[in-house]
Amino acid sequence: MGEFTVTGLRVVREAARTGSFTRAAERLGYTQSAVSRQITLMEQAAGHPLFDRQARGVRPTEACRIVLRHADTVLDSLDTAREELRNPQPPSRIRVGAFSTATAALIPRAITIAAQQHPSLQVRLREGLTPGLLSGITRGRIDMAVLSGDVEAPPGVEVSPLLMDSLHMAVHTTHPLAAHTRLSPTALRNERWIVGSEDPRTTLLGMWAHAGWQPHIAYVARDWVAKLGLVAAGLGVTLVPGLAVPALPATVSVILVDDPAAVRLTVLAYRRGESGDAHPFAEALQESAAQLTAELRVRLRN
């Protein structure tokens, strides 16, 4: 069995991304025969075929997906090493994890703010769920994480509040309720809901389970883009946190859910003893949160 090589891993990754050996060769500046040769060597190293050859391109096999997971780690580390070698004074670096809706506006704005105030600070972003992100902190894989909900911090992890986020109903701009700025949960009971799960307790709908009514679920879509696409097509309504409102398309209106339970806490988690809440990026997160909160108030008034 042969050995994996950096060149071979890059070729495999590009072929998987493009679905074509020819396009991979064009993007990498190699000849097609060189790409084919590298793929053959990587398949020998893996001991399995990495691609299903088809009439109109190639498709990664399950073995290829395993190789790709590790290839990303190896190649990203090498790219980081190159960056450090180009600069005799390596820039400071922070590895940040976040839940999906925080990456819609809160995190990007914080990165922009941090870049303006601390040009040498580089941010590495990882999206994930709370258990995985907390594990990443305890294992030293990330430095801090933006999490949703009342988080129970494991040993060695500190948690500090970032903001209390309001929940909103997203509707098409032509929806009969679109003219409202706020509504109680009772006013929403007859709507067709687009949710992430058939079980309301596992979605944001569970935030007011005490309302005494079960939502009529029209569509289940786990991905936020899919949910908003269905809303934008006028096929139902969904709930969005305030953090996601600035990223909504123009065809979607938002209505504040007027209920004490229709909020969720957003927190910052970091390793104990490292003053994570005083880090420059934590300060940028706080500034970003303040900006988004102010803009949300203006949007709801208008």
Side-chain angles (χ1 to χ4, degrees), residues 78-91:
L78 290 174
D79 289 341
T80 299
R82 288 192 182 91
E83 291 175 9
E84 293 177 357
L85 290 170
R86 290 192 193 104
N87 191 342
Q89 296 293 329

Side-chain angles (χ1 to χ4, degrees), residues 88-294:
Q89 296 293 329
S92 57
R93 186 171 290 106
I94 181 83
R95 299 165 298 174
V96 179
F99 62 98
S100 60
T101 47
T103 62
L106 177 68
I107 297 293
R109 290 198 184 197
I111 292 174
T112 299
I113 293 169
Q116 294 170 346
Q117 299 176 352
H118 305 276
S120 64
L121 179 63
Q122 292 187 356
V123 180
R124 298 280 185 178
L125 181 60
R126 170 184 167 185
E127 184 179 315
L129 301 177
T130 294
L133 295 176
L134 286 173
S135 175
I137 294 175
T138 58
R139 296 183 181 185
R141 294 175 180 172
I142 56 176
D143 301 303
M144 65 175 59
V146 177
L147 308 174
S148 175
D150 188 8
V151 176
E152 183 177 349
V157 176
E158 295 279 358
V159 173
S160 62
L162 192 58
L163 79 157
M164 187 64 76
D165 198 16
S166 54
L167 295 181
H168 305 76
M169 188 172 75
V171 303
H172 190 272
T173 51
T174 61
H175 191 284
L177 296 179
H180 293 266
T181 57
R182 62 175 60 212
L183 287 170
S184 69
T186 303
L188 310 176
R189 65 186 307 162
N190 295 323
E191 297 302 319
R192 290 165 51 85
W193 289 90
I194 301 162
V195 297
S197 169
E198 292 282 1
D199 183 358
R201 293 172 300 178
T202 64
T203 70
L204 294 178
L205 287 169
M207 296 295 286
W208 59 76
H210 64 276
W213 53 272
Q214 291 297 315
H216 170 55
I217 297 176
Y219 298 96
V220 176
R222 297 184 183 278
D223 183 78
W224 275 106
V225 175
K227 286 183 183 178
L228 295 177
L230 291 166
V231 172
L235 297 175
V237 304
T238 195
L239 285 175
V240 296
L243 288 176
V245 169
L248 297 182
T251 53
V252 174
S253 296
V254 291
I255 305 163
L256 178 67
V257 178
D258 192 4
D259 188 277
V263 293
R264 65 175 186 174
L265 179 65
T266 300
V267 301
L268 180 65
Y270 48 89
R271 280 191 295 277
R272 182 169 297 162
E274 294 195 3
S275 301
D277 57 345
H279 190 279
F281 190 72
E283 296 173 354
L285 281 169
Q286 293 160 2
E287 186 173 340
S288 174
Q291 289 181 5
L292 290 173
T293 301

